[in-house]
Amino acid sequence: ELEAAAERPHALTGPLRVSAPIGIGRHHVGPALRAFAALHPGVQVELRLSDMLEDMVKAGLDLAVRNGPVPGREASLVARVIARQELVLVASPSYLDRVGTPTRREELMQHRTVRYSRHGRARGWAFAEDGATVQMDPPSAFLADNIETLLDAACEGLGIARLPDWLVAPALADGALCRVLPRECPLVIDTYLVRPMTHAPSIKVRTAADHLASAIARSMKV
């Protein structure tokens, strides 16, 4: 009976430490964890938002949400795909009216762009072509290491941006942004839920992982 009581969801107690990138953390992981905390008041939830990858064991993390390939996941991490994001090209109507709308990918090199950067270096744009990947480095008008800031810059007409579909969906719906080169295949990025492989997860971590996976998959669906 004691073991059965310990396994019941309402009996979950203790700290739960989760990390996530800032954008997806604010929009998806945070709401999911707040709902989990309301369901399990005995759990002390800590969410750490950062676009920098941490060593999960050294940081004392139970779970992490990661975008794209998870470094070293086969050796030290257990990872599962919980959602997929499409990165789409967008720009404001004011920018396109002022500069013109590109009709071919190559024309991006004549446009100003709004791009993600890390340590002062802009991240290039990758495109699929004949089974290979083509990298482009168009001129940058505005760089930032936060996707919400890039969204604001694109809406204000600073240039063409490439951002997650779930992030730009409201701006596309209300006309603040337009798709650019919509026939280009979007870059698809897997979103992972990750935990350390160092020990078997507790019922608390397993319950939280299942809750996060389900909630994030629903909220990121466009």
Side-chain angles (χ1 to χ4, degrees):
E1 290 184 2
L2 289 176
E3 290 182 359
E7 291 288 310
R8 286 199 295 268
H10 68 261
L12 301 182
T13 60
L16 178 74
R17 301 179 181 91
V18 182
S19 74
I22 297 170
I24 195 173
R26 288 190 65 249
H27 288 267
H28 303 287
V29 183
L33 280 177
R34 293 196 297 272
F36 181 82
L39 289 171
H40 305 283
V43 178
Q44 296 83 49
V45 176
E46 178 186 352
L47 174 59
R48 304 177 189 174
L49 298 181
S50 174
D51 289 336
M52 302 295 290
L53 292 179
E54 288 187 284
D55 183 307
M56 293 189 66
V57 176
K58 289 182 179 179
L61 294 169
D62 299 297
L63 296 166
V65 176
R66 296 285 183 260
N67 290 324
V70 178
R73 68 178 184 272
E74 294 182 0
S76 62
L77 302 174
V78 177
R80 59 167 156 162
V81 176
I82 57 173
R84 286 187 167 89
Q85 308 175 62
E86 292 187 352
L87 299 187
V88 296
L89 294 166
V90 294
S92 71
S94 64
Y95 173 83
L96 297 175
D97 288 343
R98 187 172 71 250
V99 182
T101 301
T103 58
R104 296 182 300 116
R105 183 199 310 158
E106 293 74 17
E107 294 176 11
L108 292 173
M109 298 303 295
Q110 280 74 56
H111 281 264
R112 294 163 65 82
T113 62
V114 172
R115 286 197 286 162
Y116 190 88
S117 67
R118 179 66 61 82
H119 305 305
R121 184 174 181 179
R123 184 170 293 176
W125 286 351
F127 295 90
E129 183 177 282
D130 299 327
T133 299
V134 176
Q135 290 283 342
M136 295 188 69
D137 188 21
S140 300
F142 187 87
L143 302 174
D145 62 357
N146 177 268
I147 59 174
E148 293 168 303
T149 300
L150 296 177
L151 174 65
D152 291 340
C155 289
E156 291 169 10
L158 291 184
I160 298 173
R162 196 182 203 188
L163 294 167
D165 50 359
W166 57 264
L167 182 66
V168 301
L172 290 172
D174 66 19
L177 290 176
C178 303
R179 285 286 301 271
V180 174
L181 298 176
R183 294 187 179 182
E184 281 284 347
C185 292
L187 180 65
V188 178
I189 295 179
D190 288 333
T191 299
Y192 292 86
L193 184 63
V194 184
R195 66 169 177 82
M197 195 186 287
T198 52
H199 51 75
S202 65
I203 181 64
K204 174 184 62 183
V205 172
R206 296 201 307 270
T207 303
D210 289 342
H211 175 91
L212 281 173
S214 176
I216 292 171
R218 288 195 306 271
S219 68
M220 288 183 66
K221 191 172 183 180
V222 177

